[in-house]
Structures are given as structure tokens and as C-alpha cells.
Amino acid sequence: MSYSHYHEHYEILYVSNGERKLIINNHDKYTLAHGTIALIKPFILHKTESIGGSERRILVNFSKETGAEIEKFANADLLKCFDTPITELKDIHRIKEMLSELASLDRSSPFFESKFKTKLTEVLTEISETAALPFARRNGTGDIIPLVAKEIQEKYSDDISLSCLAEKFHINPCYLSRKFKKEMGITLVKYINTVRIIAAQKLFDNGCQSVT
């Protein structure tokens, strides 16, 4: 996309040939190339831009529900790796092969879901082990932030603020502010404004309304 966007699913992006620029929260910039992989959490503002125009990509996404099922089955925090947007992997060839298999699964097959979850568990385990990330279980305190982000996306045209969000989710405003910045990499106020800007960009692109 030419402008930043967000979605409710997890996204794994690998540039198998060439280079591509990843921009997170309209500020942090990374170069995706051979040996690196992008791991995008739900609700994170991001966009990618071509570098040279000849790159090939492997893209895999999955829902939060699928991620939760996989973690429960594996009894490990396999989604912890998504805390780091760009990860360098030692055995990138193995990851590339696994991602290719995952992306090429036949969605019309009655066994697609079981195959997808099995292969995805292998991919996330391999990424976590290769990147040497801890497998400690989360205590669940971070679950509130995706809910807050989703509330912002759904109510961005309303008069929303830190205080009203804190009241709605029964959480201290200062704690919410710190927690949101830590997990999303952007302040809550800037996130609200950026979501509104993205919505405006989409309206301009659709061309069904006047600028006024």
C-alpha cells in the first residue's frame, strides 16, 4: 500500500529476492533483504515500499485466534517473536522453504486448516529458536492493548481520548499511556491521529466524496 495500514491478523513477510523498505508507525524504517524477516503484530501501523522494483515476496498471515490455539497446543509463547519487527535468522533457507510450503497450501482442501496450523507451528518454533527468543508464558496483561487499538479503529470519528479509553477499559490513564507506547511503539494520541489520517486517505482514494 502507498500509505500506512493496519489489520487484525499477524503477518509474516519475507523478501526472497531483492530488497523492500518497511516503515512502522510512519517513523521506524527497516530494509528487508535476504536473511531478514518481518513480523508484524495486529493493529501495528505499517507500510512497505519497493527498492528497485524487482523483489519477490512470501507473505503469510493468520488470526489472533489461530495464534492463541497454536500457543496453547505448544505450551510456549511462540508469538513473542513478533515483539521484534525485524529479525535476522541464521538458517534463513529452512525458514524460506517452510514459508513457501505454508503459503502454497491448497485452501480448498478439507485438511487445509490442520495442515496450516501444523506448518505454522513449525515455522514459529523455528523462528523463535533461531532468533534465540525466550519461551516464557505471558501473564495476559498485554491483552488490553489490542482491544484499545481496535476501539480506536472503530470509533476514530468520535471524540475519543486517553481519559475516555481508560474509563471504558477500567484502567489507570497513566498506566494505559505507558503500556500502549511500550507495546505499539507509538503514543496513544499519535495512534488516534494516524488512524484518522489513514481513514481520510482512503476516502480520497475512493473518490466518492468531495474534499469539503
Side-chain angles (χ1 to χ4, degrees):
M1 279 190 171
S2 59
Y3 49 79
S4 292
H5 63 285
Y6 48 80
H7 35 64
E8 294 189 29
H9 55 257
Y10 287 88
E11 183 173 283
I12 302 174
L13 173 62
Y14 173 65
V15 178
S16 58
N17 183 61
E19 295 182 338
R20 195 167 184 85
K21 183 184 296 182
L22 171 66
I23 304 174
I24 295 180
N25 293 327
N26 294 329
H27 182 268
D28 299 322
K29 299 180 180 180
Y30 307 90
T31 298
L32 300 178
H34 180 73
T36 61
I37 192 169
L39 304 169
I40 310 298
K41 291 194 295 185
F43 307 114
I44 293 294
L45 300 169
H46 66 284
K47 69 176 180 178
T48 61
E49 296 178 351
S50 177
I51 302 178
S54 60
E55 77 279 352
R56 289 199 298 269
R57 293 172 286 172
I58 301 175
L59 182 65
V60 173
N61 56 66
F62 60 95
S63 68
K64 293 185 293 180
E65 291 74 20
T66 295
E69 289 179 16
I70 289 175
E71 284 198 321
K72 183 177 181 180
F73 169 77
N75 193 32
D77 191 3
L78 296 181
L79 299 180
K80 178 68 176 176
C81 57
F82 282 85
D83 288 346
T84 305
I86 299 297
T87 300
E88 293 187 9
L89 302 173
K90 296 178 181 179
D91 193 358
I92 193 63
H93 294 290
R94 175 170 169 76
I95 296 294
K96 177 183 176 181
E97 292 177 359
M98 296 171 72
L99 286 174
S100 296
E101 293 176 12
L102 190 56
S104 62
L105 287 175
D106 182 8
R107 291 182 174 274
S108 64
S109 169
F111 305 105
F112 168 76
E113 186 173 351
S114 60
K115 289 183 177 180
F116 181 85
K117 291 179 180 179
T118 299
K119 182 58 66 174
L120 179 60
T121 302
E122 295 178 7
V123 168
L124 294 178
T125 300
E126 187 70 20
I127 291 175
S128 297
E129 288 183 336
T130 305
L133 293 170
F135 273 63
R137 299 294 296 173
R138 284 194 299 264
N139 58 15
T141 57
D143 293 344
I144 192 70
I145 299 304
L147 295 178
V148 172
K150 186 174 183 179
E151 179 75 7
I152 292 171
Q153 294 166 21
E154 293 177 348
K155 304 290 180 60
Y156 63 83
S157 60
D158 295 346
D159 184 19
I160 54 178
S161 64
L162 171 62
S163 58
C164 71
L165 289 169
E167 181 178 356
K168 178 179 177 62
F169 290 95
H170 308 289
I171 188 172
N172 180 275
C174 293
Y175 177 78
L176 174 58
S177 179
R178 293 195 304 269
K179 191 73 172 176
F180 194 94
K181 175 67 182 299
K182 180 180 179 181
E183 293 199 17
M184 302 297 286
I186 185 174
T187 65
L188 189 144
V189 172
K190 188 173 182 179
Y191 188 88
I192 293 173
N193 290 335
T194 304
V195 167
R196 287 171 171 165
I197 290 172
I198 292 173
Q201 289 173 318
K202 290 180 179 178
L203 289 174
F204 278 125
D205 282 349
N206 291 337
C208 57
Q209 292 180 302
S210 68
V211 174
T212 303

